[in-house]
Every structure is written in structure tokens, then in C-alpha cells.
Amino acid sequence: MCEAGAGSVDRDYVVTDLPAFIARLGVPGLFDVHTHFHPPRVFEKVRAAFDQAGPFIGRAWPIRYRSDEEELVATLRSFGVRRFPALTYAHKPDMAEFLNDWCTGFAARTPGSLLSATFYPEPSAEEYVARRLAAGTEIFKVHVQVGAFSVLDPLLDRVWAQVAEAGTPVVLHAGSGPMPGAHTGPAPVEELLGRHPRLCLVIAHAGAPESEEFLALAEQFERVHLDLTMVFTDFFEEAGRFPGVLLPRLAALQDKVLFGSDFPNIPYPYAHQVAVLERLELGDAWLRAVCWENGARMFGAG
């Protein structure tokens, strides 16, 4: 199992017994819709950005799990995770298809993984997204903070139309955490949904810190979901606290909330993400839906 990364600081994070948790809920395992795997050189650059608390990070962020792809997959499975994506993402032109080719290989050699892809506002995007959809892409990742582009970029309009028609989920990091960007926040996403109301969006990190606004979009639009990646963790609460007053609304959205972790780029034990959801005391039915059933329904149990 991967050890804590160099320079990490162990804290008294509350954790849960994952096998006992899974057995209690009576589910096959965890369905984690927000994990990251990248080509080796991209992984190196991502880790360096976290290690240096770069401009998209803004704080010390000691990655706990760092190893090669094979060991990271084995570690994730040891936690009881049955399904998970790669969620690599493009941040410049002519990068997306390199990543998409790599994701195709990753899915082929990694049982239980979702076939992931990404896109970027560029003239070729409409063509290659159509090709990836035809090839069976199950999930897209878009990161407007790192990519420094707007979801309303005209080069993406036909792309969004294609993805909406296909019904393929897009994990969208559009919230302004951990650091705001020129194109983050709920307003562009709301306008996008006005143009393409059938888009299936999974709002990463529940849109933190604009959680209330993104939660309202999930209430308003049939295919908008929230993932709880890092939400409620002790580390994340310092910068992106989820307002307690919203918990009844989050509970009511039981069928539209998904479990996510951000593995391996997390600075605490994986089991902490589960423990903090347990301590919300929203009940086993809610936990069962979030941690397995909603993902299995959206993507298939595999």
C-alpha cells in the first residue's frame, strides 16, 4: 500500500473501517466517480504543482498516495472501490487527444475503470468528441480553473450539444475552490444549462465554495448532479466549508449526489472521506445511494 508522501503531516483524521462500512450497507463496494490517473509525465507535473502549492492550489497540500499506476490501482481496490474513472484533463490546445488515447489504454488494461475522456476549446473538439462518443466514452472531465477557459467558449457550443444529446456525464470543476479563476463560479454554468438543459453534469466538489448556487442548479435541472469529493473533510472544511443549513436540501437530493475522493491527490487517509459522510447522520439509505447506487445507475455496475 502507498505510504504518505514526502513532507506530509499526519493529523488525527477520523477514519472508518471500510470493509465493515461496505458490509453494513450491503453494497458491492464503493463507486468513486472522481479519481485521477494520468500519463506518467503528466502525473509528475501534477504532483509538482501540489508539492509547490502552485497557483491552482494556494496552500500546503501533501499528497498522501504517490506511486506508479499499478500500485495506485491496487491501493484503490484495497479500499473496496469497484468502479472509478481516470479523469485526466486538457489545459492547452492539441493535448486532449493525447490524453484521450492514453485513457483508452488505461480503461483497456484496468478492469472496473470507466472509459474517460476530456476536451478543450479548439477547432478540432467537435470532431474528436464525436469520435470518442462513438467509441463508447463513459465520462468526460472538464476543469475550467486549470484550463483557464469558459464553458461558454463558442468553440465548445457544438461539443456541449453533442454531449447533451448522448447523455454522457461530464465531471465539471467549475467552483472557485481551492483558488478562484477567471472563469470559475456558477453563473457561466447556469447560462450553459440554459442553452443545453439536458446536459448531464456532475459538479465536482459540490461546486465549493459556491455550494448553495450549484446545489440550486442540481435542484432545477434534471441531469445536474453533485459529487462530494473532499467535501466535509477536515482538510477541505478550512477553505470550502459546506453550509450546515444546506444539509436538508442535500439529503433531499439523495438520488443526485455521488461519492468522489480525488484519489490519489489527497492529503489524508482515503477512509476519511467515508467517515465524514457517516458523521453527517443522513442515514444508511442516503449513504447507500451516494456511495454505490447512484453511480451504478448512471454508469452501470460493471
Side-chain angles (χ1 to χ4, degrees), residues 24-262:
R24 188 185 88 225
L25 294 187
V27 294
L30 300 174
F31 202 123
D32 190 334
V33 301
H34 196 137
T35 61
H36 294 286
F37 291 89
H38 309 281
R41 290 186 64 184
V42 176
F43 237 146
E44 290 175 9
K45 293 180 179 180
V46 169
R47 287 167 175 158
F50 279 96
D51 292 343
Q52 297 162 13
F56 303 119
I57 311 301
R59 62 182 295 190
W61 195 299
I63 294 174
R64 188 175 186 90
Y65 302 100
R66 57 174 81 212
S67 187
D68 60 21
E69 175 190 308
E70 184 177 357
E71 185 172 351
L72 287 174
V73 169
T75 299
L76 194 59
R77 287 178 175 150
S78 77
F79 299 144
V81 177
R82 291 281 302 275
R83 303 298 311 279
F84 55 94
L87 296 194
T88 191
Y89 42 88
H91 65 273
K92 60 183 180 180
D94 301 318
M95 183 181 186
E97 276 294 79
F98 159 72
L99 295 173
N100 293 340
D101 285 341
W102 183 88
C103 285
T104 298
F106 178 83
R109 64 179 175 269
T110 311
S113 66
L114 300 171
L115 179 55
S116 306
T118 187
F119 51 84
Y120 185 85
E122 52 193 336
S124 58
E126 181 180 352
E127 184 275 329
Y128 67 68
V129 167
R131 188 169 65 251
R132 295 297 170 178
L133 287 169
T137 290
E138 297 172 278
I139 188 169
F140 287 96
K141 168 68 173 183
V142 171
H143 201 316
V144 300
Q145 178 205 38
V146 175
F149 62 86
S150 173
V151 295
L152 301 174
D153 190 300
L155 288 170
L156 291 180
D157 196 55
R158 283 297 306 151
V159 171
W160 291 122
Q162 290 179 98
V163 174
E165 182 177 359
T168 304
V170 180
V171 175
L172 176 65
H173 187 138
S176 298
M179 295 289 286
H183 305 290
T184 59
V189 179
E190 184 173 13
E191 185 173 343
L192 174 68
L193 287 164
R195 300 177 186 179
H196 305 285
R198 297 291 291 165
L199 268 173
C200 183
L201 298 182
V202 178
I203 304 299
H205 309 284
E210 297 100 346
S211 300
E212 183 170 9
E213 294 89 340
F214 280 106
L215 187 149
L217 293 180
E219 293 171 330
Q220 179 181 356
F221 292 92
E222 179 185 356
R223 293 184 175 183
V224 175
H225 303 71
L226 306 175
D227 85 35
L228 296 183
T229 303
M230 298 193 77
V231 181
F232 305 111
T233 65
D234 296 346
F235 180 86
F236 200 65
E237 286 278 89
E238 297 170 6
R241 182 174 297 277
F242 189 93
V245 69
L246 300 181
L247 282 177
R249 292 167 64 185
L250 187 69
L253 282 177
Q254 174 173 312
D255 294 338
K256 302 183 77 177
V257 180
L258 299 159
F259 178 79
S261 69
D262 237 349

